Amino acid sequence: MNEEEMVAITVEGKIVNIMKYSIHDGPGIRTTVFFKGCPLNCQWCHNPESQGFGQELMYWPDRCIGCGQCLEICSNGAVISTAGKLEYLRDQCLACGACCKACHAGVRELVAKTMSVSEVMAEIEKDLIFYDESGGGVTFSGGEAVMQPVFLLEMLKECRKKEIHTAVETCGYVNLEFLQMISDYVDLFLYDLKLMDRQKHQDFTGVPNVLILDNLRWLVEHHPRIIVRVPIIPGINDDEENLSQLGNFVASLKRVTELHILPYHKAGVDKYQRLGLAYLLSDIQSPDNERMEQIVGQLEQFGLKVKIGG
């Protein structure tokens, strides 16, 4: 076994999901690899299972058939029986996965899986024909893929060897050295912007946006292909002031001419309950087509090519 083969087997990352036949994460038909862990905590996130860096457990109580296998297997008291009914105590759970293996009804499921470079590549390469025919490839998303820089870099190198187009979706709140490390191996960056106001960004994502904007400025100077993407969250970032600041900023990045706006949706809301988390934006509705077209018109005034969806 040579050194490159050894790296592919031994370098590992935490993966939440590998989604096939994606058409929203870059050009063509793609495989999207979702990494675990994100430095942001966006209130509208539709992948909350990918936010935390540690292992977590999803819980579907309605699937329970009352067999009691979880009660017998759990050694930390996270499952108790009250009046003949099984109860899950998430605060006591170590997310070890023992109950998941014992349960035949699929009541519990570990969020992440540790995978080697070669294991992920084996999944990616199953769809080579679709990439070739559609001009697609692989998108590394999350969470935040750049927060696992060594694993991501090795994945990118393997894809380059196989001539597989690569895209990296990033929130930008990462160490600049990590971006510099991977930049030469990435064909396309999908760079997410949320809010232009620093304090509002802090309020709704948990971090300020200074590093995000600075990293994008650097990337524009050193990488030829970047698409800026913005989730449109009604009442949070679709106001005239934010859209104007957004348009001005992106227009100032001379090598970025394409902007994708992504309408807010509630596809991941039920995941919050399964993870024992509160969803804070339950009253917000998805923007309709008319509103999205209005936003397109506003942003096009800055000389940008604007597209709805990714």
Side-chain angles (χ1 to χ4, degrees):
M1 183 182 297
N2 61 38
E3 183 178 350
E4 290 182 351
E5 290 173 329
M6 181 65 74
V7 168
I9 293 173
T10 58
V11 176
E12 295 179 327
K14 292 182 179 179
I15 303 299
V16 172
N17 187 26
I18 300 177
M19 185 172 68
K20 304 297 189 73
Y21 316 121
S22 172
I23 58 172
H24 300 294
D25 297 313
I29 297 172
R30 310 189 70 80
T31 294
T32 302
V33 182
F34 293 90
F35 284 46
K36 186 89 166 77
C38 182
L40 271 62
N41 185 24
C42 301
Q43 293 185 14
W44 52 83
C45 180
H46 60 273
N47 291 320
E49 73 279 17
S50 69
Q51 287 187 356
F53 288 90
Q55 183 62 277
E56 295 173 278
L57 189 144
M58 283 244 190
Y59 179 52
W60 288 264
D62 54 311
R63 296 179 181 176
C64 183
I65 58 176
C67 69
Q69 291 295 314
C70 55
L71 182 62
E72 293 182 17
I73 202 73
C74 182
S75 60
N76 206 56
V79 183
I80 61 174
S81 179
T82 304
K85 184 178 180 180
L86 295 173
E87 184 179 355
Y88 172 47
L89 305 180
R90 187 176 291 276
D91 291 344
Q92 299 290 343
C93 182
L94 299 177
C96 67
C99 61
C100 303
K101 296 177 181 178
C103 179
H104 300 294
V107 176
R108 297 169 181 83
E109 178 181 314
L110 289 179
V111 165
K113 182 178 181 181
T114 299
M115 301 182 71
S116 68
V117 172
S118 58
E119 286 175 326
V120 178
M121 285 302 301
E123 291 300 312
I124 289 171
E125 290 182 61
K126 290 177 181 178
D127 297 320
L128 283 172
I129 187 172
F130 297 108
Y131 312 148
D132 293 340
E133 292 180 351
S134 69
V138 179
T139 299
F140 297 106
S141 185
E144 174 53 63
V146 186
M147 294 299 289
Q148 298 185 51
V150 175
F151 182 71
L152 175 59
L153 178 61
E154 294 304 324
M155 291 299 315
L156 291 166
K157 287 180 177 180
E158 289 298 309
C159 288
R160 180 64 58 88
K161 292 176 189 175
K162 303 290 184 179
E163 297 184 346
I164 299 172
H165 182 275
T166 57
V168 170
E169 180 184 6
T170 180
C171 70
Y173 194 79
V174 297
N175 191 317
L176 177 58
E177 291 181 3
F178 295 166
L179 284 179
Q180 293 171 336
M181 184 171 71
I182 66 170
S183 179
D184 289 343
Y185 297 94
V186 180
D187 294 310
L188 169 67
F189 276 98
L190 303 173
Y191 204 102
D192 296 342
L193 293 182
K194 323 291 187 182
L195 284 149
M196 298 306 297
D197 182 82
R198 178 179 180 177
Q199 187 57 54
K200 287 188 71 174
H201 198 282
Q202 174 86 51
D203 294 342
F204 286 101
T205 73
V207 301
N209 61 2
V210 176
L211 178 62
I212 294 169
L213 301 181
D214 286 346
N215 280 346
L216 180 53
R217 292 186 185 98
W218 179 88
L219 201 59
V220 166
E221 294 298 321
H222 296 86
H223 198 278
R225 187 77 174 105
I226 303 166
I227 295 175
V228 172
R229 309 207 306 178
V230 183
I232 300 300
I233 319 298
I236 294 179
N237 70 346
D238 66 337
D239 57 281
E240 181 69 32
E241 182 178 4
N242 186 68
L243 293 175
S244 178
Q245 291 177 352
L246 172 68
N248 272 310
F249 177 73
V250 177
S252 73
L253 307 172
K254 301 304 182 183
R255 296 172 68 179
V256 176
T257 59
E258 193 169 351
L259 177 63
H260 293 177
I261 56 174
L262 315 175
Y264 164 80
H265 61 77
K266 294 187 175 183
V269 172
D270 61 331
K271 296 179 184 179
Y272 285 80
Q273 184 176 3
R274 294 175 191 168
L275 289 167
L277 303 173
Y279 187 70
L280 302 178
L281 303 182
S282 57
D283 293 335
I284 293 182
Q285 301 301 314
S286 301
D288 58 26
N289 291 337
E290 181 180 359
R291 178 57 183 141
M292 292 300 292
E293 290 294 346
Q294 289 175 349
I295 294 173
V296 168
Q298 288 175 266
L299 294 172
E300 284 180 337
Q301 295 178 14
F302 296 90
L304 300 168
K305 178 183 177 182
V306 185
K307 175 184 175 183
I308 298 175

